[in-house]
Amino acid sequence: MANPNIRLSLALDASMLEKAETDAFIFNAADNANYSDLGAATCIQWFKPTCDRLQTRGFSTMQTVAAKTNLALVEITRSKPQTLGLIAQAFDSLSVGGSLFVNGDKTNGIESHLKTLRKLFDIHGVISKAHGKIFWLTKANRPNILDQWIAGMNPIEIESKYRTQAGVFSSNHKDKGSTLLLENLPAHLAGKGADLGAGWGYLSHELLIKSEKIKSLALIEADWNALNCARLNVTDERASFHWSDVTQLESSSYDFIIMNPPFHLTRKAEPDIGKVFIERASVLLAPKGQLWMVANRQLAYEATLDTYFTSISSVAETAQFKVINASRPKKQTFRR
Ligand SMILES: C[S@@+](CC[C@H](N)C(=O)[O-])C[C@H]1O[C@@H](n2cnc3c(N)ncnc32)[C@H](O)[C@@H]1O
């Protein structure tokens, strides 16, 4: 299969840039890309597992930028407003005369971004390779529309109630699966709980309103932006907020865990991440703790649930989703 990393290398050669004289900034840096041509780059990344892997490779990571550079690269995201916001931030992070590169796959909309930017800037070069494109420009005049693009990354209100942000999971509406889970949670949930992959806080917010016996609820989420929205949505003082990779959490003693686990990190369905969430839930629960989860019906989690829990019951099913309650975690066999 063609290697998309090759685009950056070709573009740097074609643009005849020397290696970055100051540290380059890479917005939405990928943890598997080869950035060796960019020197000691700083990666702007908000997804914790990706940050951790970039750091292991020796990169420094940040969630926002407050410095100037002479070379910025934007790896586009699947969200158009988020990508435009990142392009505007990257433009602003450049000194005048600095170079901005924008890289991405066709499936993520690189062609539409090129079209948009061509209307505003003199595009110096474009390379099409490996089902995508990279293009670049030099920082000169700043079009006013960049203010709108930056504002497009601010939290917005949806359903006259919740705050979300471009690029986070289910940014335009509450998720149907999570709504089904909420409808099927028992009224007696009490004690110390956790919401694994809490997103912008929909489940936690609604649960804390209806359950007075809950003493504390940890919202654990890998997306920095989603967690910041959750802080706006969940103002109950029993809530705590943790920017963490669930798959790396060590044992704990929660009385209950709720979750609508991720089932893809790319465009493909990747049930394995959901299976790791189930395994971690079993480790994080107290011996009498209970897991309440929702999943897409076609995802086969039953064997994993059987491996890690003694008792499993199906609580509700619709054409699209299933709600499952699992209890009595079989901790002793697989504690890390
Ligand atoms: C299906 S969404 C559910 C979000 C939220 N609970 C809701 O109901 O709207 C799964 C969430 O898990 C987060 N996530 C993905 N991988 C993660 C990881 N390794 N650790 C923590 N959270 C993760 C995603 O960013 C996303 O917000």
Side-chain angles (χ1 to χ4, degrees), residues 46 77-82 152 165-171 223 225-226:
W46 50 91
T77 77
R78 285 158 61 183
S79 156
K80 188 170 181 182
Q82 186 179 41
Q165 190 176 323
V168 307
F169 171 79
S170 204
S171 61
D223 181 339
N225 299 322

Side-chain angles (χ1 to χ4, degrees), residues 158-159 161-164 169-170 173-183 195 197-209 217 219 226 229-230 233-234 258 260:
I158 61 159
E159 303 187 12
K161 200 170 174 187
Y162 310 110
R163 310 290 291 281
T164 74
F169 171 79
S170 204
H173 51 82
K174 55 191 189 229
D175 180 64
K176 281 188 189 146
S178 294
T179 304
L180 185 72
L181 174 59
L182 199 64
E183 285 164 6
D195 180 354
W200 48 259
Y202 165 62
L203 277 173
S204 292
H205 170 77
E206 298 297 337
L207 180 63
L208 284 169
I209 289 175
L217 187 60
L219 283 78
C229 293
N233 290 319
V234 189
I258 53 169
N260 176 357

Side-chain angles (χ1 to χ4, degrees), residues 136-332:
W136 60 97
L137 58 100
T138 300
K139 175 159 176 171
N141 292 340
R142 183 182 191 279
N144 289 338
I145 198 168
L146 266 56
D147 290 335
Q148 276 177 40
W149 293 0
I150 287 178
M153 290 177 84
N154 291 339
I156 49 157
E157 193 174 78
I158 61 159
E159 303 187 12
S160 314
K161 200 170 174 187
Y162 310 110
R163 310 290 291 281
T164 74
Q165 190 176 323
V168 307
F169 171 79
S170 204
S171 61
N172 295 324
H173 51 82
K174 55 191 189 229
D175 180 64
K176 281 188 189 146
S178 294
T179 304
L180 185 72
L181 174 59
L182 199 64
E183 285 164 6
N184 285 282
L185 287 177
H188 60 71
L189 286 184
K192 185 178 147 188
D195 180 354
L196 302 188
W200 48 259
Y202 165 62
L203 277 173
S204 292
H205 170 77
E206 298 297 337
L207 180 63
L208 284 169
I209 289 175
K210 75 177 198 180
S211 304
E212 283 175 7
K213 288 185 187 149
I214 294 175
K215 288 208 178 78
S216 66
L217 187 60
L219 283 78
I220 302 172
E221 169 58 47
D223 181 339
W224 169 273
N225 299 322
L227 195 67
N228 283 340
C229 293
R231 287 179 214 274
L232 301 174
N233 290 319
V234 189
T235 52
D236 191 303
E237 60 189 20
R238 293 170 291 169
S240 60
F241 302 86
H242 309 265
W243 185 49
S244 303
D245 177 354
V246 164
T247 69
Q248 300 301 313
L249 294 178
E250 297 296 330
S251 62
S252 189
S253 56
Y254 292 113
D255 298 304
F256 68 90
I257 284 176
I258 53 169
M259 66 183 194
N260 176 357
F263 59 93
H264 54 75
L265 298 175
T266 60
R267 286 181 183 274
K268 291 181 294 183
E270 293 165 279
D272 284 0
I273 177 84
K275 291 177 186 170
V276 181
F277 267 55
I278 293 170
E279 182 258 352
R280 282 294 96 192
S282 71
V283 173
L284 295 168
L285 282 165
K288 290 190 177 164
Q290 302 248 336
L291 168 66
W292 297 86
M293 68 175 280
V294 65
N296 277 31
R297 254 184 86 155
Q298 82 275 13
L299 296 177
Y301 288 139
E302 281 69 17
T304 310
L305 285 159
D306 272 342
T307 306
Y308 297 113
F309 288 88
T310 310
S311 171
I312 297 124
S313 58
S314 167
V315 178
E317 281 199 27
T318 64
Q320 216 182 336
F321 301 105
K322 53 192 170 190
V323 174
I324 296 163
N325 171 223
S327 53
R328 297 175 55 211
K330 299 176 188 170
K331 280 194 183 190
Q332 61 289 356

